[in-house]
Structures are given as C-alpha cells and as structure tokens.
Amino acid sequence: MPLADKIRPSKIEDVVGQSHIIGKDKILTRILKSSFLPNMIFFGPPGVGKTTVAEIVAKESNKSFYKINATNSSLDDVKRVISELDTINNIGGVLLYIDEIQSFNKKQQQSILEFMENGKITLIASTTENPYHYVYKALLSRSSVFEFKQVEMFEIKKGLKRAVELLKEDSYMEIGYTEEGLEDIAKVSDGDMRKALNTLEMVAYSTRPNVDNIVNIDSESVKKSTFNKILNYDRKGDSHYDILSAFQKSVRGSDPQASIHYLARLIKGEDLASICRRLLVIASEDIGLAYPNAIVVVKACVDSAMQIGFPEAKIPLSQATLLLATSPKSNSSYLAIQNALNEIDNEFIMDIPDTLKDAHYGGAKDLGRGVGYKYPYNYNNNYIKQQYLPDSIKDSEYYVPQENKTEQNIKKYLQYLNDNN
C-alpha cells in the first residue's frame, strides 16, 4: 500500500491543511459534530484532502456509504445505488460519494436529483475543476460548496514528519532527515500532500544508507531522487485563466516582479499563444493612449516570440511584459468603446445624420445624402465644428482623457480646436 494511503487520517482532527474550513469552530468540523449532514461539493487541486474528508464524513454518519469514481463509472453505476435505496440495509439513508464529478454529463448528474430532494441520498462530490463551470446548476443549488486549497509548506512538513515515523515502523529502516530536506520535498510537491508523501517514499527507498546505516533525507538525497516539479496548469481549466488573470492584473498594477513571476508560470506551461494574445490585449486595454507606441513594441516582441519559439521566446516575452508593467497606464480606450457599446445596447438611437451618409451615387443629393457636409480640410486647423452623432445621442461622451502626459496633451489639443472654431 502506498505511504499516502497508509497515513490517510481517520479523524478530522488529523487532516493536514484546510484550516479555513477544518478546526475549532470551523464549518466542516461543526457539520461533523451536528446531526445534520447537507449535500456537499468539495473542489480544489489534487492531493489536498478532498477524498480523505469525504471518507471521514461518511464514517461519522449513520448512513450506508457508496463510492463512485465518475472517470470510470456510468449511469448504470448510479442506477445500481438507486435500486438499493429502499432495502433494509439502507433504512437510515445513503451517503453517495462521487469523485471527479466533472466527468459525469448532465444526464448522469440529473439522475440523483430526485433522491437528493426526498432525502434518500446525501451527496458528497469532489472535483478538481470549478463546480460553477462543470456541475449541473440544479445539483449545485442543492449543495454547499467548499473550496479546498493548496496545503501550506509548514503543514506539509508536519505531515512529512509523521510519515517518516510510519516509514520507520513499516520498513525497519533507520531514517534521519534535515529540515531543509523536508522543505525541498514540500517545494517540489507544490501544495499537494499526496505528492509530497509519494516523493518522501521514493527518496527513502532510493537513497543508500550512510556508514551508520541511516537513510538520510537531506537536500542532496532529495535532489538526486526527484525531477522538476510539475505546476498545477491545465490550458482548459481554472488554473489557466487564474494565472492569466493574475498576470494581467500584475501588469496593470505596475508590479514588474509579480508580472514576471506569472509570465514564468505561463512559460512553464509552454502556452505561447495565450501569452502573446494577453500581452497584445494589455497593450491597448491597460496602457493604451498613455503610451501609444507600447503596442508597436509589444507586437514586435510577440512576432519575435512566435517566430523563434520556446525556449528563446521567453526573452522577447519578458521584454514585452516589463515594458507594459513599467509603462504609464490608461484604460480610456477600453472605457470609451465599452461606453459606446453599452449605449447601443440600452438606448434608442436615431439614424446617422444625412450629412454623413454616402453620397457617391446618382440621386444621392436628391435624398439629401451628404448635403451640408463640411470638409474639415477647408478650414483652419483642419477642423470645423459640426454634428457627427445621431440626433438622439448628439451630446454623448465616450472618451474622457485621463491624467497622463499624452492624454493631457490630447485634452489640450481638443480644447484648442474648440476654442478656435
């Protein structure tokens, strides 16, 4: 049996991490101590205790326990549980645990709704994906959602120390460790307790005892026995959009250090297309008219990155990111088009003024097309005041210059045209 299964806690007090929902006066602990067991959905990254907590809850309840893994189960498996609901063995009700529920389609998820309604089934489901994206809404509305988070480093180290003692008992090996060695395992695990335990087991069994016949788990032995850590990154999952969001918000916040950090995460996922697309969006959405040439430089960097590919693409991507993070910011371009689009969606808008309509065809003037249009280049400063917007929204303002050097110059220029007309 793998070490991670041997050391799996049987009591809620022994669960590592999740202190925001487990512990004295925390919600999951209170639920376990009460006589009321709601339908629950646990979501979070792998190896953070979702299955462990579900099994502890099942053990503490007085209900018959059924477990289904949605990745290799079908509707027939759900029906099999349903067929046993009214048997004498299940008189106290059934607790059904569905692991990886995101793998069930809508019909499979719907099949248990009726029995959740009448209380014959209490559902606990777990998923590594955001349930608000993958779980059927009717099922979601009948359940309490709990987010499980990455296990913190000090919690992982605490769990590793317990595991070392168990390894000693099981293997009859003398095992020593350094704090740095356990910390290195925690770093490689990236918040995944199961991965940390598997790594510890691999290091312990692959490291030669020293002259005193002690297997020493230190930085050197961990480095020899492990590979580079694998980040929690799925191009179609939540982590993809979370990292992209953090990347853009860090650039927008003018934090070059955080911007480069999230860029590095995206590069580790080798997601070149998403990085390039987001950099081009940022150049217009967050820098815009505060530094109009930013998009020119970013486009050149993006083209270079796409042409040379990884690993060298990281260099122009870093250049573009740092340029944007350290540039003055303005979202006036974004706000202007959003304001215009919102007005189109929500306001009554009259026809385009006749003066602006196409007049390049016979009979156009008879319809009043282009009649009265003033050609700006025939006037001083190549400007003449006239109405361009439809009558119903002729006073609408979408673009408002912001407080940066370039846009203040734009503001002065527009004011100058207005004052000298």
Side-chain angles (χ1 to χ4, degrees), residues 248 278-292 294-295 298 324 330-335:
Q248 180 161 1
R278 190 56 60 113
L279 285 168
L280 289 168
V281 169
I282 294 170
S284 289
E285 181 179 348
D286 295 303
I287 283 76
L289 292 175
Y291 178 26
I295 195 167
V298 170
L324 295 175
S330 170
N331 67 342
S332 60
S333 298
Y334 168 78
L335 291 176

Side-chain angles (χ1 to χ4, degrees), residues 238-272:
D238 263 15
S239 59
H240 168 79
Y241 297 104
D242 287 344
I243 296 172
L244 283 172
S245 175
F247 176 57
Q248 180 161 1
K249 287 170 182 172
S250 299
V251 174
R252 181 184 296 154
S254 299
D255 188 331
Q257 317 307 338
S259 302
I260 286 293
H261 168 78
Y262 292 114
L263 173 65
R265 286 200 187 192
L266 292 165
I267 288 172
K268 280 288 186 181
E270 296 193 349
D271 195 359
L272 183 56

Side-chain angles (χ1 to χ4, degrees), residues 128-151:
T128 54
E129 305 294 345
N130 190 326
Y132 294 98
H133 298 161
Y134 292 92
V135 176
Y136 179 50
K137 284 184 171 52
L139 191 151
L140 196 62
S141 69
R142 291 163 175 80
S143 307
S144 298
V145 178
F146 296 92
E147 182 179 4
F148 283 59
K149 300 181 179 180
Q150 287 180 304
V151 183

Side-chain angles (χ1 to χ4, degrees), residues 14-166:
D14 295 332
V15 173
V16 172
Q18 313 314 322
S19 57
H20 61 294
I21 52 176
I22 295 173
K24 186 178 179 182
D25 294 329
K26 298 299 172 66
I27 182 65
L28 270 179
T29 304
R30 295 205 313 270
I31 286 173
L32 270 179
K33 290 181 178 178
S34 72
S35 58
F36 173 69
L37 186 60
N39 300 301
M40 294 184 282
I41 297 175
F42 300 159
F43 88 98
V48 295
K50 300 185 298 296
T51 302
T52 297
V53 172
E55 291 182 353
I56 291 172
V57 171
K59 183 181 174 184
E60 294 289 325
S61 74
N62 62 349
K63 299 177 183 292
S64 301
F65 181 56
Y66 293 83
K67 181 177 179 180
I68 293 175
N69 190 312
T71 57
N72 53 23
S73 299
S74 65
L75 187 57
D76 288 339
D77 296 292
V78 178
K79 287 179 177 178
R80 197 171 297 117
V81 175
I82 292 171
S83 69
E84 298 180 20
L85 288 178
D86 295 319
T87 62
I88 193 167
N89 292 330
N90 296 326
I91 199 165
V94 163
L95 192 154
L96 174 60
Y97 173 50
I98 303 179
D99 196 13
E100 304 296 346
I101 194 172
Q102 78 276 2
S103 297
F104 268 176
N105 60 33
K106 183 177 178 180
K107 185 177 180 181
Q108 289 169 315
Q109 292 185 35
Q110 281 179 316
S111 64
I112 60 172
L113 275 176
E114 174 190 344
F115 305 98
M116 291 170 64
E117 289 274 342
N118 61 29
K120 290 184 177 181
I121 287 180
T122 300
L123 175 71
I124 298 181
S126 64
T127 173
T128 54
E129 305 294 345
N130 190 326
Y132 294 98
H133 298 161
Y134 292 92
V135 176
Y136 179 50
K137 284 184 171 52
L139 191 151
L140 196 62
S141 69
R142 291 163 175 80
S143 307
S144 298
V145 178
F146 296 92
E147 182 179 4
F148 283 59
K149 300 181 179 180
Q150 287 180 304
V151 183
E152 293 187 40
M153 185 179 290
F154 79 94
E155 294 278 10
I156 289 180
K157 285 177 67 177
K158 188 164 68 174
L160 290 173
K161 289 176 182 179
R162 280 175 47 206
V164 167
E165 297 306 314
L166 182 62

Side-chain angles (χ1 to χ4, degrees), residues 310-363:
F310 285 126
E312 289 87 351
K314 66 188 177 186
I315 304 167
L317 294 177
S318 176
Q319 178 184 347
T321 297
L322 291 173
L323 173 78
L324 295 175
T326 56
S327 292
K329 304 297 186 293
S330 170
N331 67 342
S332 60
S333 298
Y334 168 78
L335 291 176
I337 191 61
Q338 281 300 117
N339 290 338
L341 290 169
N342 289 339
E343 186 176 64
I344 289 171
D345 287 338
N346 298 298
E347 300 292 336
F348 171 77
I349 298 176
M350 296 178 68
D351 199 8
I352 298 169
D354 285 342
T355 54
L356 303 183
K357 290 183 178 179
D358 180 26
H360 294 87
Y361 57 91

